[in-house]
Amino acid sequence: MSPVTRSGRIAAAIAVATAILVAAPVISIIALALQPAPDVWQHLIDYVLPATLLDTALLLGGVAALSLAIGTGTAWAVSLHEFRGRQILLWLLPLPLSIPTYLAAYVYVDLFEPLGLVHKTLALWLPLQDAVRVLPNLRSLPGAVVVIALVLYPYVYLSARTMFQYQSAEFAEAAKTLGASRWTIFWRISLPMARPALAVGVALVSLETLNDIGASEYLGVRTLTVSVFTTWLNRGSLAGAAQLSCFMLAIVAGLIAIERYGRRNVTTEFSAESPRLTPRTPLTGIKGGCAFAVCLLPVCLGFLVPLLYLAQQSFKRGLFANFDVALWRDAFNSVAFASLATLAALLLGLATILAWRWRPSRLRFVAMNFAQLGYTLPGLVLALGLLAPLLAIDNALNALAGWLGWSLPGLILIGSGAAVVIAYVIRFLAVPTGFIKAGFERIPRDYDDSARAVGAGQTTTMRLIHLPLLRPAMLGAVIVVFVDCLKELPATLLLRPLNVETLATSIYQYASRGSFEEGALAALLIVAASIGPVAWLTRFSDIPSGPA
Amino acid sequence: MMNFRATAATAALLCFTAFGASTAFADGEVNVYTYRETKLIQPLFDAFTKDTGIKVNVVSASSGLEQRMKAEGASSPADVLLTVDIGRLDDAVQAGVTQPIKSVVIDEIVPAQYRDPNGHWAGISMRARVLYTSKDRVKQDKITYEELADPKWKGKICIRSGQHIYNNGLFAAYVAKYGEAKAEEWLRGLKANLAQKPSGGDREVARDIAAGKCDIGIANTYYWALMMNNDPEKKPWAEATKVVLPTFEGGGTHVNLSGVLLAKQAPNKANGVKLIEWLVGDKAQKIYADANYEYPVRAGVAINPTIAGYGKLVADPLPIAKIATNRKAASTLVDKVGFDN
């Protein structure tokens, strides 16, 4: 354990402040939940929860399994193998991240529904009625699983890739000398070592799925989140909705605890003596072609198809013919909110983890776990929970201004974009915290000790050792948070100030009129704004491998 | 560590975002919170600004606006809340964020049936919940809501989620008229007649009929007109269907309201009332009717020809306030009969 230092104290203070920030909306939701909600629960237990819990569990399980398979498989293929087209895949594989789940749902329903493109194509060979019958029904649980997993798998891919490519060669080589095949090495060595990262990725996917309201509602799947909305909006019970949210929170906390317990004894630090990395196995001929094709498939379905569809819709509408200049302003708002939130989330996440790394204590441990709580709140519930604390601050500021004899500033946080940024930070803080924590788990404490032995302080150790080693994890976190912020909808809708739109809210405006295609251009801009960062990430993430 | 220049630039960006947009209290302005999408009502607000010189600031959301007003309390910049559904009108009044509008103009123009008895809200336009029927497969011209539960329609009806606010309003009207037990029986009958699990939106109802998946769909009046007149791609969906105005036995067609409320603490109250009065004026009612294909709430304003083509609307005389009080019961019934499962 490191001695108490100034930077250590600062990090600890930031960690605690962060925990309080995240806890504020949760506490305010709990306060709401404490109000009586008579007859809501009896009704929920009798008629809603059985079906909803089953649907939620199946959706979460299905999406987790499918995205785990796609994310791990592709990450393994491109990290530990060398084949023609690999470089292109490195760029392409994370890109579905730029497609919001609700957009993917809209696009795929449009494509596969009766009278849609697929149906019309089928109808060239089949009578119209038969063509309807053979269409898969996307508005179903399996449909939702596939559509959501196709755009969320990059969460698993990104974290798995960070792990696979830093995996030391020692283990694989030792296994090889014992006669293990590539598959055995994958199943018995690579995969277990990547487990913390995979857990982070799957947790992100699951929470993202649980929070999603647009896609699952559109695809006709009744999740817990949908029930929260119905309870609040149709049954007029905010208290009941808050109670349901708390229930959801408890389930998520339980899942996280089980996951932690499950890997309590797993050490994943790489051997300090051998920073030598696994060489990539070359795949040539048909094998290489197959690897390329298999990896390309999820990119096509999760990214290219929605992108091309949106592009086609935009062109059909004359692209810039009725171009609304407001769209640039919306894009600027989106990018500004997202950048600020990303920066803040990264710094707060880093401080929180450092506080724990430098000097583990119960308080710091709690703070670290609290930082990940925001992700479990559905966007709208978070926004509702934020209203009270933010208003309290605003009112306090006004009171202070009045006391000082200044003119009253009005609602500074709610009336400006600050509330949106704060909501994003709370909502997505789990990403940098999770990524950086997983990254740290792979840096042996020996490094810290050696650095200290030669007289380096904590900040020096951080600058010279931790940050460079954490770079892939931090870059991954930055991209994920930035892109998540760009896509965020419910909290943005509720908390944004007068006359402010973002790209997501602009698309929503079209979608809620049932003609989201008219918002195709705004959707394309979201994708375009995300491609840059994602590509940037790819550029820095591919480290040279050892001799093959 | 963080690059200093990047930090400074970001801080500047924060200030820009934070203070660029906080102009909520200037003179000659009115602040509107709305459930109606900005893009749809903007033409209306532009016309209002042109007429009166009062600038309209807008924030639109899909839910939670009355909660936001409640939280903002006395400092809330909101003057007017605009909703597209009865339930939301009621929610806002329940949340205690409104005040009586107190306007002779409103009282004269808006029929009592479409106003809050206590003056907290007023309807500005009506949308009817009607049937889209297959031109080829449904010959019947007159259909009652009650009849939708008749087994003769088994496997022939399409509808969006029973929990959607539009259906919630219709079902609440049914509860208001017949009581919960009868309404439950009717909902079970309706569910038994569904061709597929409730999903999608009102347009998909027309599409599924066009594709032969069902024969009848329950939807709002204006979607059909929008598809017919404003969306060449979806025109075939509308063309395959016909709009039938159903009625309750002994009643009229179920209508829902777009309505307005005046915020309790409205900082620009006079402008807020001015906007509300302007919205029920001849000019606004005409724009509203033509842009959104809704029925004007003001008597004597010409109905858009497409909408008029559906036939003469005789609205259900049931007071809107009575529907609002039954929506919770309706929502409960939807879960109870497993309508969406």
Side-chain angles (χ1 to χ4, degrees), chain A residues 233-522:
Chain A
L233 298 176
N234 285 0
R235 222 159 282 124
S237 176
L238 187 57
Q243 287 165 11
L244 206 50
S245 302
C246 290
F247 175 64
M248 220 161 95
L249 209 63
I251 294 182
V252 174
L255 288 176
I256 292 174
I258 292 172
E259 188 270 330
R260 293 256 160 88
Y261 184 76
R263 58 186 173 90
R264 67 195 181 287
N265 293 327
V266 181
T267 320
T268 47
E269 292 178 356
F270 51 151
S271 126
E273 295 81 41
S274 166
R276 195 163 58 83
L277 304 166
T278 317
R280 283 193 285 271
T281 315
L283 297 176
T284 49
I286 291 185
K287 270 188 180 172
C290 283
F292 180 74
V294 169
C295 290
L296 193 64
L297 187 65
V299 177
C300 284
L301 296 177
F303 178 72
L304 292 177
V305 167
L307 181 76
L308 289 176
Y309 185 80
L310 292 174
Q312 185 235 355
Q313 291 294 336
S314 301
F315 275 110
K316 203 146 89 189
R317 278 164 183 73
L319 194 59
F320 296 112
N322 311 314
F323 185 72
D324 188 357
V325 190
L327 219 50
W328 289 126
R329 198 196 53 209
D330 301 349
F332 173 81
N333 290 337
S334 282
V335 171
F337 286 148
S339 324
L340 286 169
T342 304
L343 182 70
L346 184 70
L347 294 179
L348 295 181
L350 186 63
T352 304
I353 298 297
L354 278 178
W356 163 251
R357 172 85 174 187
W358 284 343
R359 197 174 166 79
S361 75
R362 188 167 295 251
L363 177 70
R364 291 165 196 224
F365 182 73
V366 169
M368 184 171 69
N369 284 313
F370 252 75
Q372 315 202 26
L373 211 62
Y375 217 70
T376 59
L377 287 170
L380 185 63
V381 176
L382 167 66
L384 282 173
L386 261 179
L387 282 172
L390 290 182
L391 258 304
I393 298 174
D394 273 346
N395 289 334
L397 288 175
N398 276 310
L400 182 70
W403 184 69
L404 290 170
W406 296 349
S407 65
L408 295 187
L411 300 175
I412 297 176
L413 296 180
I414 300 265
S416 67
V420 176
V421 174
I422 293 172
Y424 288 173
V425 170
I426 295 178
R427 175 103 168 71
F428 300 122
L429 192 59
V431 178
T433 324
F435 272 50
I436 294 172
K437 188 161 169 279
F440 259 129
E441 276 171 17
R442 308 193 62 253
I443 304 178
R445 280 183 187 277
D446 299 0
Y447 285 19
D448 303 30
D449 298 340
S450 326
R452 188 134 31 84
V454 296
Q458 276 172 349
T459 34
T460 314
T461 314
M462 179 179 76
R463 212 180 57 231
L464 295 179
I465 297 178
H466 293 160
L467 289 186
L469 285 172
L470 285 175
R471 202 162 78 163
M474 293 200 340
L475 278 171
V478 163
I479 303 310
V480 171
V481 176
F482 181 78
V483 174
D484 259 345
C485 291
L486 283 184
K487 298 188 288 188
E488 209 286 334
L489 184 59
T492 319
L493 271 176
L494 185 60
L495 293 176
R496 71 198 199 281
L498 287 160
N499 300 338
V500 171
E501 298 284 344
T502 66
L503 290 173
T505 63
S506 170
I507 296 169
Y508 164 79
Q509 308 254 0
Y510 289 108
S512 55
R513 269 190 284 158
S515 52
F516 93 94
E517 326 83 71
E518 286 173 39
L521 202 54

Side-chain angles (χ1 to χ4, degrees), chain B residues 103-148:
Chain B
S103 153
V104 186
V105 178
I106 295 293
D107 292 352
E108 264 176 17
I109 292 173
V110 183
Q113 184 195 351
Y114 305 128
R115 268 188 282 128
D116 176 35
N118 301 316
H120 281 262
W121 52 259
I124 51 173
S125 73
M126 298 186 287
R127 47 258 306 277
R129 195 95 185 123
V130 298
L131 303 177
Y132 297 174
T133 62
S134 164
K135 267 187 184 161
D136 306 332
R137 302 184 296 275
V138 178
K139 297 294 163 219
Q140 215 174 316
D141 271 345
K142 284 199 159 82
I143 303 173
T144 62
Y145 291 111
E146 290 84 346
E147 198 187 327
L148 293 174

Side-chain angles (χ1 to χ4, degrees), chain A residues 43 48 113-114 139 220 222 230 234-235 316 391 414 416 494 496 499 501 506 508-509 513-514 517, chain B residues 18 37-39 57-58 60 62 68 71-72 163 197 199-200 203 207 211 233-234 331-332 335-336 341:
Chain A
H43 173 81
V48 181
E113 283 293 70
R139 294 178 185 247
R222 288 208 303 165
T230 310
N234 285 0
R235 222 159 282 124
K316 203 146 89 189
L391 258 304
I414 300 265
S416 67
L494 185 60
R496 71 198 199 281
N499 300 338
E501 298 284 344
S506 170
Y508 164 79
Q509 308 254 0
R513 269 190 284 158
E517 326 83 71
Chain B
E37 308 87 79
T38 340
K39 292 191 169 70
N57 303 308
V58 191
S60 82
S62 55
R68 175 165 165 179
E72 288 171 345
Q163 292 293 8
K197 193 174 148 168
S199 69
R203 279 167 222 258
R207 186 203 50 211
E233 252 170 85
K234 291 177 183 147
S331 166
T332 307
D335 283 342
K336 195 171 170 191
N341 294 353

Side-chain angles (χ1 to χ4, degrees), chain A residues 525-538:
Chain A
L525 282 181
I526 287 198
V527 178
S530 316
I531 287 181
V534 174
W536 186 59
L537 164 78
T538 333

